[in-house]
Amino acid sequence: MSETFDLKTTTVRAINEHLHGLAPDATGVYEILNPNGSHNIAVGVDAPVEINIRGHAGYFTAGMNKQARVTVYGNVGWSVAENMMSGRVHVKGFASQCAGASGHGGLLVIDGDASSRCGISMKGIDIVVGGSIGHMSAFMAQAGRLVVLGDAGKGLGDSLYEAVIYVRGKIHGLGADARVEDLSEEDRTQIGELLEQAGLSARPAEFTRVASARTLYHWNPTSPQVSVL
Amino acid sequence: MCGIVGLFIKNKSMRDQLGALATPMFVCMGDRGPDSGGLAVFNEPTPESAQRWRINVFARNREYPWEPLIHGLRQTHPATDIVASSNHAILMTDQVPEIVARWLGEYDPMLIFLSTGRVMDLYKDTGHPRELAERYHFTDLRGTHCVGHTRMATESAVTPAHSHPFVAGNDFCLVHNGSLSNHNSLRRLLERRGIQFETDNDTEAVCRFLQWRMREGDTIEESLARGFEELDGFYTLLMGTPERLVLVRDAFACKPGIIADTPDYVAIGSEFRTLAHLPRIHEANLFEPVPEKIYSWTIA
């Protein structure tokens, strides 16, 4: 089944209420017209449906997404797919700050650039960016993979935990405790798989791997209790 | 939070639509700044505007009796015109502003001078931006470019004087989304040089700092480069001069901004939705300003 919502004649709240009412195994295609930069479109969906947003969307688009495949035929504002749990969000244009922030799972694809703080505190989400990313991306990123076909801004991977970043272009500066590591065969395989899922093409061997030097955090249960100041 | 809007008309035939296009931008950003707002409008420079001063005056009383004021003013300064609506008036005069200001100060010490210059007009007050746009008939405004702000105060009081745009000198205005932590030391630095302040607002310190640098001979770029060193805090700044619209974001760039560049106009807003109504917006080159880069548009 297919349904069309036009934001010229309805509200984001009405659309989201409808989507929240779907059964967890519901299928179907939902078209959202005239988003005109509205915030919170398709937030909190939990059903394997397809949602097509036909135009530029605002903040928090597809936030907390579970299962759904959301495509934005335009740009998005801050925090697209923030806290995504599963499913797939695909932005055909560019994304503003904090794309994929705190995401736990699923795949976020941005065809254009993502600005600063992309993948901040990511917790298992995979993010593929066709263009470049801005400063302080993957700050305190805990798990998941961030693949960037373009360049990365200053302070990349600052205070990184166990997320891994792959950058094809220039890295304008690493953050504290982030370091460049050798690209293994396993890395190349993973990059190749993510690129394929994202529908983007590049040679995996061209990427640089950035991961945590693990000097800023300690997670060793055998070490004695250290008092924290 | 605060909202910023700016519109720069490239296509001269669209200059009479400046207000009609900018008003929905301003009203939309009322969501980000509902407590007060303001709009500075740059009129098209003409041979006449080069000869006359524009003095923008604000009265606390919404039904201010401007008729007796202009009648009295013309007794001593006959070549003075007035355009008034509600509690705002633009006085256009051949006299230097200081002389007119002295007369007005004696006539009614409660009047507030919003701005002086050759081409810039300034409207600002507390209240929802929608209310201000209606009261001052923003849709009718014409000009080359404008700078608007909707305020959600995070520091200093909500009063007409604390509303943006701030001005310093003639025909220079600035709006700010963000907050500064060292504005008091900037203020002391400037006060030691004899520069007077009207409020305790952080943005006023930035405005006066940059205008001081320009008065000392810096270009706007040089003054902003100095600002990058001196300003401690977060800011997206939008500035207007008679010829230029200038935008800059600080190194952290945590305050938003988006630019739509088209053959007919350049529109700037805190969010895309404030630009969504503009003509042929979907063909515009849309981009986010990057940190510490100075974006500037100059009238032809």
Side-chain angles (χ1 to χ4, degrees):
Chain A
M1 67 162 269
S2 169
E3 254 181 284
T4 300
F5 297 100
D6 189 342
L7 275 164
K8 274 194 173 155
T9 53
T10 187
T11 62
V12 171
R13 183 177 293 255
I15 296 171
N16 286 348
E17 277 176 1
H18 183 87
L19 295 170
H20 295 166
L22 296 172
D25 58 349
T27 55
V29 180
Y30 294 85
E31 296 284 329
I32 298 175
L33 311 181
N34 295 304
N36 287 337
S38 296
H39 301 325
N40 310 324
I41 298 174
V43 161
V45 179
D46 182 7
V49 291
E50 188 179 322
I51 298 169
N52 296 314
I53 301 171
R54 303 284 176 178
H56 304 310
Y59 294 2
F60 309 114
T61 305
M64 300 184 283
N65 183 54
K66 262 183 172 175
Q67 304 193 72
R69 291 171 65 89
V70 182
T71 307
V72 183
Y73 292 86
N75 309 321
V76 289
W78 286 15
S79 300
V80 61
E82 61 87 29
N83 223 55
M84 175 154 71
M85 304 305 286
S86 65
R88 174 192 167 104
V89 176
H90 185 173
V91 178
K92 297 280 193 176
F94 68 74
S96 185
Q97 297 192 31
C98 301
S102 294
H104 287 251
L107 176 68
L108 169 62
V109 181
I110 296 155
D111 287 352
D113 295 336
S115 69
S116 58
R117 305 174 182 91
C118 177
I120 183 170
S121 194
M122 54 195 272
K123 298 176 173 70
I125 189 175
D126 289 321
I127 304 174
V128 182
V129 180
S132 298
I133 56 173
H135 62 275
M136 290 306 282
S137 286
F139 175 61
M140 292 184 81
Q142 291 138 60
R145 296 160 295 180
L146 170 59
V147 179
V148 183
L149 278 72
D151 302 337
K154 290 180 197 167
L156 178 68
D158 195 288
S159 309
L160 198 56
Y161 292 89
E162 292 303 295
V164 180
I165 309 163
Y166 302 105
V167 181
R168 184 170 66 161
K170 188 171 188 276
I171 296 171
H172 290 279
L174 293 172
D177 209 32
R179 69 178 182 194
V180 170
E181 295 180 347
D182 291 337
L183 198 69
S184 69
E185 192 51 47
E186 172 60 21
D187 288 319
R188 284 193 283 272
T189 307
Q190 293 201 28
I191 295 167
E193 285 169 6
L194 286 167
L195 288 171
E196 197 183 339
Q197 286 174 39
L200 292 167
S201 63
R203 286 182 50 226
E206 291 175 353
F207 287 78
T208 302
R209 175 189 157 103
V210 175
S212 175
R214 300 177 181 168
T215 60
L216 278 182
Y217 79 97
H218 303 278
W219 205 259
N220 184 350
T222 60
S223 65
Q225 191 84 35
V226 192
S227 67
V228 177
L229 289 176
Chain B
M1 196 150 60
C2 300
I4 282 178
V5 293
L7 187 62
F8 179 92
I9 303 291
K10 290 180 181 173
N11 178 346
K12 286 182 185 173
S13 70
M14 288 173 69
R15 285 178 178 172
D16 56 356
Q17 296 174 51
L18 180 77
L21 295 171
T23 302
M25 297 170 68
F26 179 72
V27 173
C28 174
M29 283 297 96
D31 290 0
R32 292 183 64 94
D35 66 40
S36 37
L39 189 72
V41 179
F42 290 84
N43 294 278
E44 195 161 14
T46 61
E48 198 213 351
S49 70
Q51 302 299 319
R52 303 195 92 191
W53 289 97
R54 301 176 83 89
I55 304 169
N56 280 235
V57 185
F58 176 88
R60 287 186 173 81
N61 176 3
R62 294 268 169 89
E63 308 300 325
Y64 193 79
W66 297 105
E67 196 58 39
L69 180 148
I70 191 67
H71 183 77
L73 185 56
R74 279 180 181 148
Q75 305 289 314
T76 36
H77 307 294
T80 304
D81 294 317
I82 186 168
V83 178
S85 62
S86 180
N87 57 344
H88 178 270
I90 304 165
L91 300 169
M92 287 153 285
T93 176
D94 299 343
Q95 286 293 339
V96 287
E98 289 75 14
I99 292 176
V100 179
R102 199 176 308 137
W103 186 93
L104 289 167
E106 283 165 14
Y107 175 82
D108 182 351
M110 297 300 282
L111 288 173
I112 294 164
F113 298 91
L114 291 174
S115 67
T116 56
R118 300 292 192 181
V119 292
M120 188 181 81
D121 291 324
L122 176 64
Y123 305 83
K124 63 179 188 174
D125 199 355
T126 55
H128 195 281
R130 186 186 307 105
E131 206 183 299
L132 270 55
E134 280 168 19
R135 191 196 311 156
Y136 300 131
H137 313 289
F138 281 174
T139 51
D140 298 338
L141 296 171
R142 299 164 176 204
T144 50
H145 53 297
C146 64
V147 172
H149 186 269
T150 61
R151 183 166 184 239
M152 183 182 282
T154 52
E155 64 84 47
S156 76
V158 177
T159 75
H162 287 81
S163 311
H164 304 218
F166 280 90
V167 299
N170 297 320
D171 285 333
F172 174 68
C173 74
L174 175 146
V175 297
H176 170 210
N177 178 197
S179 59
L180 292 181
S181 40
N182 69 334
H183 62 100
N184 283 327
S185 54
L186 281 178
R187 184 177 284 105
R188 285 192 293 272
L189 175 125
L190 296 172
E191 281 173 343
R192 279 200 296 276
R193 287 166 172 78
I195 292 165
Q196 292 183 347
F197 281 76
E198 287 175 7
T199 72
D200 57 346
N201 181 275
D202 57 346
T203 306
E204 185 180 357
V206 188
C207 185
R208 296 202 184 278
F209 175 83
L210 295 175
Q211 200 266 340
W212 165 63
R213 287 314 316 157
M214 287 188 276
R215 212 171 55 232
E216 295 289 313
D218 282 359
T219 61
I220 203 162
E221 284 81 4
E222 287 162 347
S223 71
L224 284 167
R226 185 88 67 123
F228 292 144
E229 300 297 319
E230 295 290 337
L231 306 179
D232 182 5
F234 306 113
Y235 49 88
T236 297
L237 301 173
L238 182 63
M239 290 147 278
T241 72
E243 299 84 25
R244 295 171 74 182
L245 185 67
V246 181
L247 176 76
V248 74
R249 293 172 87 196
D250 71 277
F252 301 102
C254 60
K255 294 298 173 187
I258 186 160
I259 301 170
D261 195 351
T262 78
D264 289 335
Y265 61 83
V266 175
I268 293 158
S270 296
E271 301 174 23
F272 173 75
R273 67 196 167 106
T274 203
L275 314 178
H277 67 283
L278 291 169
R280 304 176 75 175
I281 187 72
H282 294 285
E283 294 162 39
N285 175 25
L286 283 169
F287 59 99
E288 273 195 355
V290 300
E292 291 197 323
K293 178 172 172 180
I294 299 167
Y295 294 85
S296 166
W297 298 270
T298 304
I299 64 171

